[in-house]
Amino acid sequence: MTSEVLWLPRPDAVETTNIGRFGQWLSRREERDLTSYPALWQYSVERLRPFWGAVWEYFGLGSTVPEHRVLADETMPDTVWFPDETFNYARAVLTAPGVAEDDVLVRAYSDTRGPVEWTLADLREAVARARAGLVAHGVRRGDRVAAWMPNIPETFALMLASASLGAVFSSCAPEFGAKAVLDRFAQIEPKILVAVDGYRYGPKSVDRTEDVRRVVRGLEGLGSVVTLPYLDPDAAVEGETWDRFCAYDEGVAFEPLTFDHPLYILYSSGTTGLPKAIVHSHGGMAIEHAKMHSLHHDLGPGDRFFWYSTTGWMMWNYLVSAPIVGAGVVLFDGMPDPAGMWRLAEASGTTFFGTSAPFLMACRSRGVKPSEEADLSRLKGIGSTGAPLPAVGFDYVYESVSATAQLQSLSGGTDLCTGFIGGAPTVPVWRGELSCRCLGADVQSFDPEGRPGIGREGELVIASPMPSMPVGLWGDPLKHRYRDTYLTDFPGIWRHGDWITITDRGSAVISGRSDATLNRGGVRMGTSEFYAVVEAVDGVADSLVVHLDDDDRDRLLLYVALKDGAELDEDLRRRITAALREQLSPRHVPDEVRQVPEVPRTLSGKKVEVPVKKILKGVRPEEAIARDALANPDALRWFPPS
């Protein structure tokens, strides 16, 4: 572990940051000093009931709740949070504390149309109109509202309109093919489908009209279809047009719901079999996102939060919760050009810019220097997630993006729709490390016998319940699949599926998925550290490593995609193997290095090591992975059985 500090909190952070002020407030309440991050985190996981009750009250989500009624049953997965409270997520978002009616709350940019700005009043009106449209089409509490829509203000309004009624929202991004959409939406049997006719991705136009018809034919019990002519305003669309759907404004009302009432359904990547349909709750999302946005990202009125995402990734749901703490949101639909995204951050006045680790590494690889191309002086935070960010990615941010913004490398997932390891304004940034376990997240590193440990690698588990844990998986009423997915390896303990090392200072390193771990001669090796070394070698753009460990063979295969002009000659092979031997160990040296044009990735950008391993061992590609779960399914052709 490194001890190199790249960023330090302000000396007056306890007085000037949201988390500092919260810590002072809670210290007075508890009559003990909880202003240091370690003390506050320890309190948050040891005293779940008063901590989450304090978050609920502090952010105005509800009135004071007696401790025993904050968490009535802490047995996972049957946890019961705030059983006596009524709540509505849409009301919490549209309250937008500290935001005036005529303040711009939503800024949206797109490859398909010009910029759009909505004030808080505009958003409320759009929600009211979408709500009236849903009601007119017979949508009621518990019905599913499906959106095959891009990251645009209309999708945000539709989600809030659905939430206001107590209907259950679910979205897929337009780049998902018809089969991928049906794999998801057919499970939940929506009452209504709202879609776009197409979109532009950079210079490319993608028409979705025929795909929409195919999806409509495949959804049994679908009552209504609404189409937003997004690509072509004059397109002949399926069903009713968006403008007609939103023709009436009857005001916004909010159904009083239980804390655990379903808000929206997210989906796992679906790399093997049907994607899991993960159900999240009104209260769980609101209280968790309020905590993260305010206390960890330091967002509030006057801030503008931008996380590059599509509506098919949980980071979109995370992004659009920001008004709960009074922060505005910046939406973008289009091609994430490495230089263009930073210029968009400048143009939008973004104060917290979130993206993925692969995007930051692509910027580094292409020599993009944002600090020279855009005025990023308003940035106080930069977020990275989707994959572990290697140490050289940290260097790139502080050398080429901003010397003053706090870099928060975040780890979490669709399963909880949040990050549970990340950063905070009162915690330093250490090179190559996630700065801290998030408040209320009892993240531990377990050995195979279920013993927690510090300073050694183990299974990432969450040992205590969190309000944002799913209330269920759709179609799994007795929670058998839920338990099998998360709670069987360590009974009653959430196993997340990553390898983690927690340092004695409270930071952490994620070394890869535990189901993709390499194991040679009894030495376990995480893939993320492998990729960090290989992709730092000049000429390498991307890589994927697979360990074939059958009874009759033990081979480590490394596949590399190269930068333009590079070739896999003996010199490059030598430099790759030397780097692995010197920086990791001789056991990390691959038996073969093979060149491929590209590495297969899921729609959310994750490498697919396990399916590739299955294919190399003779499993047919269509049985190893669902093609529609991949952003580049043709890349599988470069991995024939060995």
Side-chain angles (χ1 to χ4, degrees):
M1 299 296 169
T2 179
S3 59
E4 185 177 354
V5 175
L6 301 180
W7 181 91
L8 283 170
R10 291 175 44 157
D12 60 352
V14 171
E15 288 76 35
T16 58
T17 64
N18 294 336
I19 193 172
R21 289 184 284 267
F22 175 77
Q24 290 181 323
W25 175 81
L26 193 58
S27 295
R28 292 191 295 270
R29 181 178 175 133
E30 293 293 310
E31 299 183 338
R32 55 189 287 197
D33 186 2
L34 297 171
T35 54
S36 76
Y37 191 84
L40 185 57
W41 179 83
Q42 200 68 42
Y43 171 88
S44 75
V45 297
E46 288 181 351
R47 305 207 62 209
L48 290 177
R49 291 171 173 83
F51 171 74
W52 286 110
V55 173
W56 174 262
E57 181 181 345
Y58 189 80
F59 290 106
L61 301 176
S63 57
T64 303
V65 175
E67 281 187 22
H68 72 285
R69 302 309 287 168
V70 170
L71 178 55
D73 185 343
E74 58 184 286
T75 306
M76 292 186 273
D78 301 314
T79 314
V80 178
W81 292 94
F82 296 92
D84 306 323
E85 303 306 302
T86 57
F87 186 75
N88 191 292
Y89 171 90
R91 180 194 291 274
V93 172
L94 291 174
T95 297
V99 180
E101 288 290 307
D102 58 353
D103 286 345
V104 175
L105 188 68
V106 180
R107 289 168 174 81
Y109 303 84
S110 167
D111 286 350
T112 307
R113 66 185 183 190
V116 175
E117 289 189 348
W118 281 5
T119 63
L120 174 57
D122 293 332
L123 177 60
R124 286 177 174 160
E125 180 183 352
V127 172
R129 291 181 178 277
R131 187 183 196 276
L134 291 172
V135 170
H137 284 264
V139 176
R140 300 291 183 268
R141 181 187 298 202
D143 290 337
R144 275 74 65 207
V145 174
W148 194 7
M149 299 270 283
N151 182 10
I152 56 177
E154 291 91 336
T155 313
F156 185 18
L158 181 65
M159 185 270 283
L160 293 177
S162 172
S164 75
L165 288 168
V168 187
F169 180 82
S170 193
S171 61
C172 286
E175 60 264 30
F176 283 29
K179 183 180 183 304
V181 173
L182 284 169
D183 282 349
R184 289 156 175 78
F185 288 164
Q187 295 185 61
I188 66 170
E189 299 179 314
K191 181 86 170 270
I192 187 170
L193 170 69
V194 183
V196 291
D197 63 318
Y199 62 96
R200 289 189 181 89
Y201 189 74
K204 182 181 179 182
S205 294
V206 180
D207 189 315
R208 280 290 186 224
T209 52
E210 185 51 45
D211 293 299
V212 171
R213 295 186 184 101
R214 179 182 168 192
V215 167
V216 170
R217 291 194 298 268
L219 290 176
E220 294 185 10
L222 183 67
S224 304
V225 182
V226 176
T227 305
L228 169 64
Y230 181 58
L231 176 64
D232 178 6
D234 300 318
V237 300
E238 189 78 7
E240 188 174 49
T241 65
W242 175 261
D243 285 347
R244 184 173 178 81
F245 175 73
C246 296
Y248 302 101
D249 179 358
E250 299 178 359
V252 182
F254 303 98
E255 287 289 317
L257 306 167
T258 60
F259 183 94
D260 62 356
H261 186 84
L263 169 63
Y264 41 61
I265 297 170
L266 307 183
Y267 302 93
S268 63
S269 60
T271 51
T272 55
L274 285 178
K276 294 192 298 292
I278 303 167
V279 185
H280 287 293
S281 69
H282 278 246
M285 290 298 92
I287 196 170
E288 171 62 26
H289 292 171
K291 178 209 75 180
M292 287 299 298
H293 291 329
S294 178
L295 305 185
H296 286 273
H297 301 329
D298 203 37
L299 296 173
D303 282 308
R304 298 173 189 172
F305 186 46
F306 172 37
W307 206 296
Y308 174 73
S309 180
T310 72
T311 57
W313 188 24
M314 50 100 8
M315 292 309 297
W316 179 81
N317 305 75
Y318 186 79
L319 163 67
V320 297
S321 284
I324 286 177
V325 299
V329 296
V330 178
L331 312 178
F332 174 70
D333 171 49
M335 179 181 290
D337 170 63
M341 288 293 92
W342 301 107
R343 291 193 292 270
L344 188 150
E346 176 189 17
S348 62
T350 292
T351 58
F352 195 108
F353 176 91
T355 185
S356 66
F359 174 81
L360 291 174
M361 296 305 290
C363 289
R364 176 181 179 272
S365 176
R366 298 183 191 185
V368 175
K369 296 187 179 299
S371 60
E372 298 176 5
E373 300 178 15
D375 178 6
L376 301 176
S377 58
R378 281 179 56 86
L379 276 188
K380 63 181 179 182
I382 298 169
S384 171
T385 193
L389 182 67
V392 292
F394 282 67
D395 298 338
Y396 169 74
V397 168
Y398 282 104
E399 292 168 2
S400 300
V401 181
S402 173
T404 57
Q406 183 186 19
L407 173 61
Q408 295 191 354
S409 183
L410 196 69
S411 182
T414 302
D415 314 81
L416 282 81
C417 196
T418 191
F420 39 73
I421 315 167
T426 51
V427 179
V429 173
W430 289 281
R431 182 175 184 265
E433 299 178 9
L434 292 84
S435 296
C436 59
R437 291 172 281 183
C438 296
L439 297 177
D442 190 5
V443 173
Q444 305 288 346
S445 173
F446 269 20
D447 69 11
E449 283 71 45
R451 296 179 297 234
I454 298 294
R456 58 106 177 98
E457 190 176 70
E459 283 274 5
L460 191 165
V461 303
I462 304 175
S464 305
M466 293 176 64
S468 63
M469 287 176 173
V471 293
L473 303 179
W474 195 265
D476 180 36
L478 299 181
K479 296 189 177 181
H480 293 316
R481 191 181 181 199
Y482 191 130
R483 288 183 175 85
D484 289 346
T485 302
Y486 305 113
L487 300 165
T488 55
D489 292 66
F490 304 103
I493 300 290
W494 179 287
R495 173 188 172 272
H496 199 67
D498 289 326
W499 291 124
I500 185 173
T501 302
I502 300 169
T503 74
D504 56 7
R505 56 178 170 264
S507 60
V509 174
I510 304 288
S511 53
R513 294 292 297 172
S514 54
D515 59 2
T517 298
L518 315 173
N519 193 327
R520 303 195 87 189
V523 177
R524 194 172 62 206
M525 301 176 287
T527 56
S528 66
E529 59 184 357
F530 199 100
Y531 297 138
V533 172
V534 172
E535 290 162 24
V537 175
D538 187 35
V540 178
D542 203 357
S543 62
L544 187 139
V545 64
V546 175
H547 182 209
L548 297 180
D549 51 355
D550 296 343
D551 293 339
D552 59 345
R553 58 181 175 176
D554 184 342
R555 287 191 294 158
L556 192 64
L557 305 181
L558 172 62
Y559 296 86
V560 292
L562 304 182
K563 297 178 182 177
D564 291 342
E567 62 175 298
L568 187 60
D569 54 17
E570 287 308 310
D571 175 65
L572 181 53
R573 283 191 169 90
R574 179 190 57 77
R575 288 189 286 117
I576 290 171
T577 56
L580 288 166
R581 180 179 289 107
E582 293 165 8
Q583 297 181 48
L584 296 179
S585 80
R587 293 181 185 272
H588 288 76
V589 175
D591 296 291
E592 293 183 53
V593 182
R594 301 175 180 177
Q595 183 176 350
V596 293
E598 57 182 333
V599 168
R601 291 179 178 269
T602 66
L603 290 165
S604 60
K606 295 180 180 178
K607 302 181 188 188
V608 289
E609 297 120 325
V610 174
V612 166
K613 180 176 180 177
K614 291 179 180 178
I615 292 169
L616 295 175
K617 294 174 77 169
V619 176
R620 295 166 58 193
E622 60 270 26
E623 296 174 357
I625 188 167
R627 284 178 60 87
D628 281 353
L630 297 177
N632 53 347
D634 289 342
L636 294 177
R637 75 173 76 173
W638 308 110
F639 299 88
S642 297

